Amino acid sequence: MDRSKLQKILDAVPDMYFILDGDGVLLDFKPSRTTQPLIPPEQFLEKPLAEVFSPEISEAAMEHVRRVLATGQESRMSYTLPVQGDKEHFEARFIHLDEGEVLVMVRDVTEHRRSDESLRALINASTDMAFLLDREGRILAINDRAASDYGMKAEKMTGVLYWDLLDGETTAVRRQRFAGVLRTGEPTLALDISRDQVFEVNTNPLHGPDGRVAGVAYFIRDITAKVQADQELIESEARYRHVFEKNPVPMYIYDMDTLMILEVNKAMTVNYGYTRDEMTAMGIKDIRPPEDVKELLKNVSDRRPGQIWLGQRRHLRADGSVIDVETTSSDFPFRQTRARLVLCNDVTEKVRMRKELEQSEERFRVAFETSPDCIVIVDLEKRTIVDVNEEFVSNSGYEKEEVLGRNAMKVGVWADKSDRDRFYEVISGPGSVESFEGDFRTKDGTVKRGLLSARTIDLAGKAHLLIIVRDVTRLMETREQLKSSLEEKEILLKEIHHRVKNNLQVISGLLDLQAHHITDPLGRAVYKESQNRVITMALIHEELYQSTDLAQVHFGDYIRNLCDNLMISYGVDRERIDLKVDTGKANMVVDTAIPCGLIINELVTNSLKHAFPGDRKGTISISFHTLPDELYELTVSDDGVGIPGDVDIQRTSTLGMRLVTVLVQQLGGTLEIGAGEGTSFTMVFSEYHEAGTVLY
């Protein structure tokens, strides 16, 4: 070709070029449109490569020059140069010219190389199965998640033909999709069903420096659990409809924004005398007496999520009669509307009985005043004396005016402060106490021995203690007999805890035996989780059986035993997953310890199952400490893969997380969920007691 024509062609090319002779001397040069040489051309033209480039680059380039001159075929070379503290990547093409000269076309591929490295980093960081294929379908890069699914190591799979890893039907479908991406350069998203599993397959084209499709990036996500969850949701909605319609308690659902009734069950229409169409055309204000509407609007303005509202209301029937109802309401997802579900329990008869009870207070007052024992009523919160009977005045020597509104310890009724403290410690658990012995001082300084019984009662909506004290000063000879009786009770309680623990262990064993007959892995996992929940409760009774304090559990020791049991149950490699437990000294009543134990069981189980897929290593941490104002803080966290962005923990339908939410509400606590580097659950709550079990 004429040299002038060649020059015009080369000048039109956007790449940088050099012309070399057979000895590697630079005869000609043109910069690219975007890249300028690091040194002026006049300083390297007419000089050999060895004087311009490093020995490694110049020697490699001369090998390509000699190969091109010897074979006449094009050759390619990649190299890197330091530029302003960074590295830039270049690709050189060596082309044979006439008269023993070689044309070198140089292209800056730095951005493409960085893009490729970023894509490989994305592949390795993805929690999905991810890999890159070249145009022939050979693996260029693959992450550990995908490699483990094929039973191989990632470093051993580079260069492997991907199609050899698939079965026949899957191979045909994915090859067809692969060819379409190479042909069109457009990404695809499809679902593949294989071996009772459902996969979401995302294919994306990889473009080379020349803009052509050089390969395909695959991102494959196992969505089997999500599909199953969606199916379970559909089934649960059908069950909800059945339960809602057949429930004997009147129920309705209303729109939180418009306050219109959206749905009612049959019991609602029967008890209120309306038809369903009539009620769904009404608002919740229409079933309340006019004078109660103001209070209603105040109550429904509280929209805190996740709350349960309890209260006693008055409702109107269709015939105009007013009934008293106890309502329970909570947020309820319904037809993509912000709604609340309300249960209405008719307590008209209960209210009538309560009024009759109020009328009997006079009879109580007579019994109170004429009792042969000293009776004292104490405000439980303030611990001040609210009332005393005439026997107390006669026995103690104090007038009513001298003790009412005052603390018994400050008055001097308790002869020994330790007796007072011991009394409140005993009563703080079950809510009542029988035959409590203590020393009491009369106004003239005489110390008497008293046998005290007490229980919590409700007066005007506030908790009080009704304390009955009998003077047993002359009955001291019965002390040893009473002491012996107390020891027998302690032995009996220990035996009860021991037998409850044994019975729970029998249940655990039965679940384990039944699980061996379950072939479905998911079904067997459900049995294991149920078994662990039973063991969680059994450990409480074992702690109490071995403890000298039958009312409280040493919670730090209990947490460690529970977590060790879970690690063993799931066969966890302690070198792969480390468990850290940090607890202060805390003794906790059974009513609080059992739900706390179940919460820890669910959260630690969740971390063991989901936070460390494959061979991932990490740490599960449990922290339990007391806070001011008699509060507890429990944190369960891990540094695993974290919660996927599309999962809403607060609305998940899994039994474990629903159980955690319900138990936190039962404890009257708050739950905070942290995501990012792993997952953390932090709960703050106070001591919890079942109704009627608190001792003061």
Side-chain angles (χ1 to χ4, degrees), residues 264 268-270 272-282 318:
V264 297
M268 188 77 184
T269 60
V270 170
Y272 283 65
Y274 296 99
T275 66
R276 178 185 177 279
D277 290 340
E278 286 174 335
M279 295 212 73
T280 53
M282 298 165 58

Side-chain angles (χ1 to χ4, degrees), residues 8-77:
K8 291 180 179 180
I9 293 173
L10 293 176
D11 289 343
V13 174
D15 296 333
M16 180 190 301
Y17 75 80
F18 297 93
I19 295 180
L20 307 174
D21 63 13
D23 295 326
V25 176
L26 293 155
L27 303 178
D28 196 4
F29 161 78
K30 181 186 80 69
S32 72
R33 295 175 183 173
T34 59
T35 305
Q36 296 296 326
L38 300 178
I39 57 177
E42 57 269 17
Q43 295 185 22
F44 61 77
L45 287 176
E46 304 298 332
K47 293 184 179 180
L49 288 173
E51 296 184 16
V52 179
F53 294 97
S54 66
E56 294 81 3
I57 295 178
S58 60
E59 290 175 7
M62 285 305 301
E63 290 184 9
H64 288 276
V65 170
R66 289 189 286 271
R67 185 182 305 127
V68 168
L69 291 176
T71 63
Q73 296 181 352
E74 178 182 329
S75 183
R76 292 175 182 260
M77 167 185 169

Side-chain angles (χ1 to χ4, degrees), residues 47 50 65 169-170 191 196 198 211 225 285 304 327 361 380 397 428 448 461 472 581 588 604 607 615 654 688:
K47 293 184 179 180
V65 170
E169 182 178 351
T170 305
L191 294 180
D196 297 327
V198 182
K285 293 186 290 185
R304 290 173 295 170
T327 62
E361 286 187 355
L380 184 57
S428 64
K448 296 183 178 181
V472 294
V581 179
M588 186 177 293
V604 173
S607 293
D615 295 329
T654 60
Y688 169 77

Side-chain angles (χ1 to χ4, degrees), residues 241-310:
R241 171 58 59 183
H242 177 77
V243 172
F244 182 79
E245 288 294 341
K246 301 299 182 182
N247 200 308
V249 177
M251 303 167 66
Y252 68 90
I253 301 170
Y254 73 91
D255 188 317
M256 293 171 60
D257 295 318
T258 66
L259 303 185
M260 295 299 295
I261 296 175
L262 302 174
E263 188 61 278
V264 297
N265 68 349
K266 184 177 180 180
M268 188 77 184
T269 60
V270 170
N271 281 269
Y272 283 65
Y274 296 99
T275 66
R276 178 185 177 279
D277 290 340
E278 286 174 335
M279 295 212 73
T280 53
M282 298 165 58
I284 61 175
K285 293 186 290 185
D286 297 325
I287 61 172
R288 299 291 292 274
E291 59 270 25
D292 293 354
V293 171
K294 183 177 180 180
E295 180 188 5
L296 165 68
L297 297 177
K298 178 182 177 182
N299 291 336
V300 299
S301 65
D302 188 348
R303 299 192 175 190
R304 290 173 295 170
Q307 300 294 312
I308 297 177
W309 287 268
L310 307 175

